[in-house]
């Protein structure tokens, strides 16, 4: 019996019992679809996080007030002691670290911005001229904040592209005066489109000198200081230098937290690694269940087709012929299940992307291959026992069964 | 040298403590091209004998020589090869594969023998023509009458041009006239030189054979030879 004939024979057998075949394909496809959807979710989350942090710029150390218990889960830190404020003076002092190239203080608050008749809620970010380079933003119009003494409260502002769109429409924005809170500021630039970054959409922000913002919100403290190290390798030593400087300024006590991207990404890596393990577990269970189903369905098929097996033996089929025919049938059913599951999984991933547009929920290639491969392997593995049973049937007794 | 030589064949089935001697001290030889009817009461061992002849079963003792070769000691794969090339089976209940068409059922032995599709097609087409099944080629067994089904089965049994055809009550599930048609068909094949061994309860069919083996309790009671009917 040639392989082509075995394949054809098995195909006819599979299509000869449509209900059984459909049920088995469904069971197998649920397993594969689970793998595809769950890994799409996991990998989507991973990619989301990576994108968020790489949008932040590279080689960055973020300084925030207060000591955190865990040291590094990002923005929602648990502050354990009442910290001293982080000030513009601290920020300036940090620049003395030899491995630090640039620094940008951040002071953040909510206010309203108005131009002409249009009024809008906006998030205000007070910072300095280096911020645009640290974050590697591009200017669409004009220039970013001037590089000047951090104490100068110049009455200038830079708008995010979406904010500019909403306030000015097609009118030119650079040179116009806008009102932010109780101040009138001159628009000196508009940022290019940047999209999401660390939970705040830069396109909807209004930037101004840190002193202007602090005066507007009547405060002296900073929300965060972003420090750029000389290189990726310098991040560790730079962090050490920054800590030393801060400790010196706080009479030996370190009451700030320094976060590096690596630490943050490492945390997420651990979380996402655990997630992947869970996914693999669920997938393994669902595929094992599908495999047991394959085995039972094939055992029923062997029983149903006992007379046929006896006949094939009488016609001169070897045990090997029969084993291969049943194994091929099991493999075909698993393959059909795997392909259906792959399609279903992609449908599910598409649904996820519709439901959560920020999540790039695409199943990774390895998961797709692993899912289909596992489905085929389980199908064939669990098909071996029924196939062997079929091949070992006594032809005389098989033929006497009707 | 006879085509089939059985000597001292024993076939014992064990059922719990008791033993059933389905065949006992059976020795018989059959020449090439003979037409043999195996007859006897139910349970006398007719089917057991036919299964042994068709290498579907092994004797507990004795030797079976087919075309001079001791086939009882062959490996299962070698026995399958003998079944495939030298033996054709016809069964009382036809044993067609329900999901396959008439043509596909006839092609099964060719497929198992690994004969290429093109040659398979010509041989099946010829067989369909020979057995008057052309208009039924693409019908499934359930769409065929009993006589047509048995003709498909006979076409399948002969497609590999076997040396021996073994038929276990081939007319048992057919009415009288259809049964006669099938009998004629088998006899025509015998006339072309194939050895025909038929198990039958029907004295009319048995009477047509030139040799009758009368069985009882697993023994050969009588071996009756007759000159060919005029
Ligand atoms: N697999 C088996 N296990 C136990 N006993 C069996 C088996 N096959 C056949 N026998 C016994 O062997 C004896 C011969 O059976 P066999 O089928 O050859 O009879 P038969 O002549 O073909 O009968 P029938 O005319 O009813 O078909 C019977 O007593 C039967 O019960
Ligand atoms: Mg019988």
């Amino acid at each position: 019996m040639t392989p082509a004939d075995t394949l054809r024979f098995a195909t006819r057998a599979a299509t000869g019992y449509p209900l059984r075949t459909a049920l088995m394909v469904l069971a197998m496809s649920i397993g594969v679809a689970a793998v595809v959807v769950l890994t799409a979710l996991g990998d989507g989350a991973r990619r989301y996080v990576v994108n968020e942090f790489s949008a932040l710029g590279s080689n960055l150390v973020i300084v925030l007030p207060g000591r955190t218990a865990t040291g590094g889960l990002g923005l929602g830190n648990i502050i354990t002691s009442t910290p001293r404020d982080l000030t513009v003076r601290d920020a300036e002092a940090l620049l003395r670290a030899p491995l630090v190239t640039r620094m940008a203080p951040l002071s953040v608050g909510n206010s309203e911005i108005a131009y002409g008749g249009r009024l809008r809620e906006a998030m205000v970010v007070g910072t300095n001229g280096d911020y645009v380079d640290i974050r590697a933003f591009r200017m669409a119009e004009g220039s970013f904040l001037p590089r000047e003494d951090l104490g100068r409260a110049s009455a200038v502002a830079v708008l995010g592209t979406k904010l500019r769109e909403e306030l000015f429409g097609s009118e030119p924005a650079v040179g116009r005066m806008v009102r932010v809170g109780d101040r009138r500021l001159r628009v000196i630039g508009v940022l290019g489109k940047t999209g999401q970054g660390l939970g705040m959409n830069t396109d909807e922000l209004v930037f101004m000198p840190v002193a202007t913002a602090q005066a507007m919100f009547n405060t002296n403290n900073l929300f965060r200081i972003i420090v750029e190290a000389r290189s990726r390798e310098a991040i560790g030593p730079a962090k050490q230098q920054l800590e030393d400087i801060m400790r010196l300024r706080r009479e030996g006590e370190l009451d700030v937290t320094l976060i590096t991207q690596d630490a943050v990404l490492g945390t997420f890596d651990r979380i996402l690694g655990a997630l992947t393990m869970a996914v693999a577990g669920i997938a393994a269970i669902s595929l094992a269940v599908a495999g047991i189903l394959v085995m039972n369905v094939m055992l029923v098929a062997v029983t149903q087709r006992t007379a046929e097996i006896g006949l094939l033996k009488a016609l001169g089929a070897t045990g090997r012929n029969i084993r291969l025919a049943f194994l091929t049938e099991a493999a075909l059913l698993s393959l059909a299940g795997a392909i259906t599951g792959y399609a279903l999984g992609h449908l599910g991933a598409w649904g996820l992307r519709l439901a959560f547009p920020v999540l790039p929920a695409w199943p990774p290639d390895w998961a797709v291959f692993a899912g289909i491969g596992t489905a085929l392997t389980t199908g064939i593995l669990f098909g071996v026992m029924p196939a062997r049973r079929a091949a070992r049937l006594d032809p005389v007794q098989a033929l006497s069964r009707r | 040298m006879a085509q089939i030589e059985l000597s001292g064949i024993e076939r014992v089935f064990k059922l719990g403590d008791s033993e059933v001697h389905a065949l006992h001290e059976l020795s018989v030889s059959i020449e090439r091209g003979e037409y043999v009817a195996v007859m006897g009461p139910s349970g006398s061992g007719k089917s057991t004998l036919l299964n042994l002849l068709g290498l579907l079963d092994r004797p507990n003792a004795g030797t079976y020589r087919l075309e001079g070769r001791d086939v009882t000691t062959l490996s299962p794969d070698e026995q399958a090869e003998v079944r495939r090339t030298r033996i054709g089976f016809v069964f009382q209940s036809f044993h067609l594969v329900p999901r396959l068409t008439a043509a596909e059922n006839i092609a099964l032995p060719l497929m198992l023998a690994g004969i290429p599709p093109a040659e398979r097609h010509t041989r099946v087409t010829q067989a369909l023509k020979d057995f008057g099944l052309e208009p039924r080629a693409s019908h499934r067994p359930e769409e065929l009458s009993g006589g047509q089904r048995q003709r498909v089965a006979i076409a399948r049994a002969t497609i590999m041009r076997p040396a021996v055809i073994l038929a276990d009550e081939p007319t048992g599930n057919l009415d009288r006239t259809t049964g006669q048609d099938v009998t004629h068909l088998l006899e025509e094949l015998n006339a072309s030189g194939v050895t025909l061994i038929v198990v039958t309860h029907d004295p009319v069919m048995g009477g047509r054979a030139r040799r009758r083996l009368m069985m009882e309790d697993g023994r050969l009671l009588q071996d009756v030879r007759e000159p060919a009917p005029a």
Side-chain angles (χ1 to χ4, degrees):
Chain A
M1 208 168 166
T2 63
D5 281 326
T6 305
L7 189 65
R8 204 169 310 140
F9 187 79
T11 313
R12 290 298 299 267
T15 52
Y17 305 88
L19 182 66
R20 177 201 70 146
T21 300
L23 282 175
M24 221 171 101
V25 166
L26 186 69
M28 199 47 119
S29 66
I30 288 171
V32 176
V35 176
V36 173
V37 171
L38 291 176
T39 51
L41 195 62
D43 205 54
R46 187 187 62 81
R47 254 184 277 192
Y48 174 74
V49 169
V50 169
N51 285 348
E52 287 292 279
F53 281 91
S54 54
L56 209 64
S58 55
N59 309 345
L60 297 190
V61 180
I62 298 164
V63 183
L64 47 150
R67 203 68 208 138
T68 63
T70 52
L73 235 183
L75 305 170
N77 288 296
I78 311 139
I79 294 163
T80 48
S81 63
T82 341
R84 253 168 294 184
D85 290 346
L86 208 54
T87 64
V88 171
R89 298 294 146 235
D90 293 325
E92 281 169 334
L94 291 180
L95 267 181
R96 291 204 297 271
L99 285 173
V100 165
T101 47
R102 280 185 289 228
M103 168 282 295
L106 288 184
S107 169
V108 174
N110 272 305
S111 185
E112 48 180 43
I113 178 167
Y115 172 76
R118 271 163 277 198
L119 183 84
R120 207 183 163 289
E121 279 281 313
M123 192 181 257
V124 173
V125 177
T127 184
N128 64 357
D130 283 337
Y131 182 78
V132 70
D133 298 323
I134 291 175
R135 296 291 308 266
F137 287 154
R138 201 174 38 76
M139 296 304 295
E141 300 165 39
S143 55
F144 199 69
L145 301 175
R147 290 191 167 75
E148 57 187 5
D149 186 85
L150 289 181
R152 263 191 76 173
S154 312
V156 294
V158 172
L159 304 182
T161 172
K162 190 165 173 224
L163 200 57
R164 179 228 180 281
E165 195 71 35
E166 285 172 3
L167 288 176
F168 293 94
S170 55
E171 279 181 58
V174 175
R176 301 294 164 93
M177 299 299 287
V178 290
R179 183 178 61 78
V180 182
D182 56 355
R183 317 221 155 203
R184 288 177 57 77
L185 307 175
R186 179 174 304 279
V187 177
I188 56 167
V190 177
L191 279 175
K193 194 164 170 49
T194 57
Q196 207 76 22
L198 274 183
M200 43 189 191
N201 188 344
T202 314
D203 296 340
E204 295 179 38
L205 299 181
V206 49
F207 296 89
M208 60 185 66
V210 64
T212 315
Q214 285 184 329
M216 183 184 296
F217 298 121
N218 191 25
T219 176
N220 278 323
N221 56 350
L222 293 175
F223 169 65
R224 225 136 275 205
I225 305 170
I226 304 179
V227 182
E228 188 184 59
R230 205 171 289 284
S231 67
R232 206 174 163 71
E233 294 70 46
I235 290 179
K239 190 178 165 197
Q240 194 60 52
Q241 293 172 355
L242 294 172
E243 280 176 3
D244 291 345
I245 293 171
M246 285 313 292
R247 217 176 259 121
L248 220 68
R249 292 181 61 79
R250 297 287 202 266
E251 292 91 36
E253 192 201 340
L254 188 67
D255 64 352
V256 295
T257 301
L258 284 83
I259 304 172
T260 59
Q261 275 190 86
D262 284 355
V264 175
L265 281 178
T267 306
F268 275 105
D269 239 24
R270 282 199 301 280
I271 293 171
L272 294 170
L275 187 72
T276 310
M277 290 298 284
V279 166
I282 292 167
I285 290 165
S286 64
L287 281 174
V289 169
I292 290 164
L293 220 104
V294 170
M295 182 167 73
N296 278 299
V297 168
M298 289 311 294
L299 282 176
V300 170
V302 170
T303 313
Q304 262 178 357
R305 301 217 289 265
T306 301
E308 177 188 323
I309 295 162
L311 168 79
L312 290 174
K313 288 199 161 175
L315 295 180
T318 59
R320 188 184 141 81
N321 288 153
I322 288 165
R323 213 165 40 240
L324 276 180
F326 275 88
L327 214 56
T328 309
E329 192 176 332
L332 277 176
L333 291 172
S334 318
L335 183 69
I339 292 171
T340 314
Y342 176 74
L344 279 180
H346 266 290
L347 200 71
W350 174 75
L352 275 179
R353 292 195 298 273
L354 273 193
F356 309 103
V358 296
L359 206 65
W362 296 93
D365 289 347
W366 65 262
V368 170
F369 283 121
I372 293 178
T374 320
L376 277 181
T377 317
T378 24
I380 292 169
L381 271 181
F382 282 92
V384 166
M385 204 263 265
R388 288 177 60 164
R389 180 173 290 190
R392 274 206 296 262
L393 278 180
D394 171 30
V396 175
Q397 284 182 13
L399 277 169
S400 65
R401 283 267 295 275
R402 297 243 15 228
Chain B
M1 180 192 67
Q3 188 181 32
I4 292 171
E5 284 180 280
L6 298 178
S7 59
I9 295 290
E10 298 281 338
R11 184 68 177 101
V12 185
F13 291 108
K14 287 198 175 61
L15 286 171
D17 294 340
S18 66
E19 291 187 344
V20 182
H21 284 260
L23 293 176
H24 187 55
E25 284 177 6
L26 188 86
S27 298
V28 69
S29 58
I30 296 168
E31 298 295 328
R32 192 176 303 274
E34 270 198 272
Y35 177 6
V36 182
V38 182
M39 304 183 73
S42 187
S44 57
K46 306 182 296 293
S47 296
T48 307
L49 173 61
L50 217 64
N51 290 334
L52 274 174
L53 289 173
L55 294 178
L56 291 175
D57 199 5
R58 287 171 192 257
N60 298 91
T63 53
Y64 170 17
R65 290 178 171 278
L66 179 64
E67 296 172 329
R69 181 171 171 215
D70 185 354
V71 289
T72 45
T73 54
L74 295 181
S75 74
D77 280 3
E78 288 168 327
Q79 290 196 332
E81 152 112 47
V82 173
R83 284 202 293 273
R84 197 156 61 224
T85 53
R86 309 308 295 156
I87 296 166
F89 281 97
V90 179
F91 305 95
Q92 178 177 358
S93 52
F94 321 129
H95 278 300
L96 301 179
V97 179
R99 61 175 183 278
L100 300 182
T101 65
E104 287 167 333
N105 266 290
I106 296 172
L108 272 177
L110 299 172
M111 183 187 84
L112 290 170
I115 288 165
E119 189 190 338
R120 227 146 67 188
H121 182 75
T122 31
R123 277 167 77 170
V124 171
T125 312
Q126 185 60 43
L128 285 166
K129 198 186 289 172
D130 292 348
F131 289 88
L133 289 164
E134 275 171 311
R136 298 276 173 263
S138 55
H139 288 220
R140 283 169 202 275
E142 59 184 20
E143 302 160 349
L144 300 174
S145 73
Q148 286 166 342
R149 285 183 210 184
Q150 199 56 303
R151 264 189 284 164
V152 172
I154 294 171
R156 184 180 64 193
T158 54
I159 195 87
M160 286 292 288
R161 303 189 193 105
V164 183
I165 289 185
L166 304 172
D168 197 345
E169 301 184 40
T171 59
N173 279 0
L174 303 174
D175 63 45
R176 176 167 288 279
T177 42
T178 329
Q180 275 170 0
D181 287 348
V182 166
T183 306
H184 285 308
L185 209 55
L186 290 169
E187 286 171 358
E188 273 171 42
L189 290 168
N190 174 243
S192 72
V194 182
T195 309
L196 176 62
I197 302 174
V198 191
V199 169
T200 183
H201 280 290
D202 180 2
V204 181
M205 189 179 182
R208 299 176 63 93
R210 287 188 295 280
R211 184 177 176 191
R212 285 187 294 281
L213 301 178
M214 309 300 286
M215 309 263 309
E216 203 177 284
D217 287 337
R219 288 163 213 268
L220 184 58
L221 204 66
Q222 265 186 307
D223 185 350
V224 190
R225 289 167 199 264
E226 270 174 26

